[in-house]
Amino acid sequence: EVQLVESGGRSVPPGETLLLSCAASGFTFSSYEMNWVRQAPGKGLEWLSFISVTGNTIYHADSVKGRFTIFRDNAKNSLFLQMNSLSAEDTAIYYCARTSAEAYAFDVWGQGTMVTVSS
Amino acid sequence: SYVLTQPPSVSVAPGQTARISCGGDSIGSKSVHWYQQKPSQAPVLVVYADRDRPSGIPERFSGSNSGNTATLTISRVETGDEADYYCQVWDRGGDHVYVFGPGTKVTVL
């Protein structure tokens, strides 16, 4: 079964750092581009970060550029999001999502991990 | 940056047709994808590349894209179709970003 499982979300105070992980299974992880997407409580979807199959090409949304870093370990079938200087506005469910082979669409999503930034 | 617009809500009776619009400047020149999200669940891709359906998505879901508007059409609406729907494009110009629309809540009356 094709699956993505996020972990690492928790409650942290403002200014802290957090590392999110996404474990992939059921497909050849190293052949797919990957992304992080978040959803604040009661709000819509916000794309955050993209990484190519080798990790050599990375894009970040302006809202997290300079604070968040996406990276991957193909040997461990894992995707990561390093988040620094967290603020209350970063409170959200964080999803990892696979870019489909046919189009720039997200065809597989994890169940999400909740990050709460609060003092 | 590229902006997508969607109506906040659409209401439809069971068995009828729901149409959800997604507006953007010359969106017809882009490839549009649609996602369905039910409460407390992750999004699910229902239409990609304007009009194609992933395996397992009913034929009742269809898409079109032309000019400044893309449309997701749900035919013969069922109560299980009640959800939030988001359009998405890949904006190749400038910052190479993905853009989501604000979402449309579909209510089945």
Side-chain angles (χ1 to χ4, degrees):
Chain A
E1 178 191 5
V2 173
Q3 196 171 12
L4 297 171
V5 178
E6 301 94 337
S7 61
R10 60 184 178 91
S11 182
V12 296
E16 285 289 300
T17 65
L18 202 58
L19 176 64
L20 302 184
S21 301
C22 171
S25 60
F27 66 99
T28 305
F29 178 72
S30 59
S31 296
Y32 287 86
E33 298 165 342
M34 297 294 297
N35 303 268
W36 286 98
V37 177
R38 71 182 177 185
Q39 186 170 36
K43 303 297 184 182
L45 302 173
E46 179 187 15
W47 170 82
L48 297 179
S49 305
F50 161 95
I51 188 167
S52 63
V53 295
T54 61
N56 289 341
T57 299
I58 290 173
Y59 302 123
H60 290 292
D62 286 345
S63 59
V64 301
K65 202 173 292 183
R67 296 190 305 123
F68 291 10
T69 300
I70 186 173
F71 61 102
R72 65 193 296 164
D73 185 337
N74 286 340
K76 296 183 177 180
N77 294 327
S78 294
L79 176 73
F80 303 94
L81 185 67
Q82 176 68 49
M83 304 188 296
N84 299 330
S85 304
L86 287 165
S87 69
E89 289 69 39
D90 297 315
T91 294
I93 298 173
Y94 286 73
Y95 297 100
C96 61
R98 187 181 83 172
T99 304
S100 69
E102 294 85 9
Y104 284 99
F106 299 168
D107 63 345
V108 179
W109 295 67
Q111 86 290 348
T113 187
M114 183 69 202
V115 173
T116 303
V117 184
S118 174
S119 54
Chain B
S1 60
Y2 195 74
V3 176
L4 296 173
T5 60
Q6 294 183 241
S9 62
V10 168
S11 298
V12 58
Q16 298 303 302
T17 298
R19 294 180 179 84
I20 306 163
S21 62
C22 177
D25 184 30
S26 299
I27 196 173
S29 66
K30 300 182 183 297
S31 184
V32 180
H33 319 302
W34 292 91
Y35 302 86
Q36 175 194 69
Q37 187 181 33
K38 296 181 179 180
S40 300
Q41 296 185 20
V44 173
L45 179 67
V46 294
V47 167
Y48 67 94
D50 297 339
R51 61 183 66 249
D52 293 329
R53 283 184 312 277
S55 173
I57 300 301
E59 291 183 6
R60 300 185 298 103
F61 289 83
S62 61
S64 63
N65 185 17
S66 179
N68 293 318
T69 305
T71 302
L72 174 68
T73 301
I74 311 172
S75 304
R76 303 180 299 283
V77 166
E78 302 175 356
T79 55
D81 298 330
E82 188 162 286
D84 294 324
Y85 291 83
Y86 296 89
C87 58
Q88 179 205 38
V89 300
W90 167 244
D91 184 20
R92 295 176 179 272
D95 295 333
H96 291 88
V97 297
Y98 282 99
V99 180
F100 284 100
T104 297
K105 170 66 177 178
V106 170
T107 300
V108 182
L109 302 171

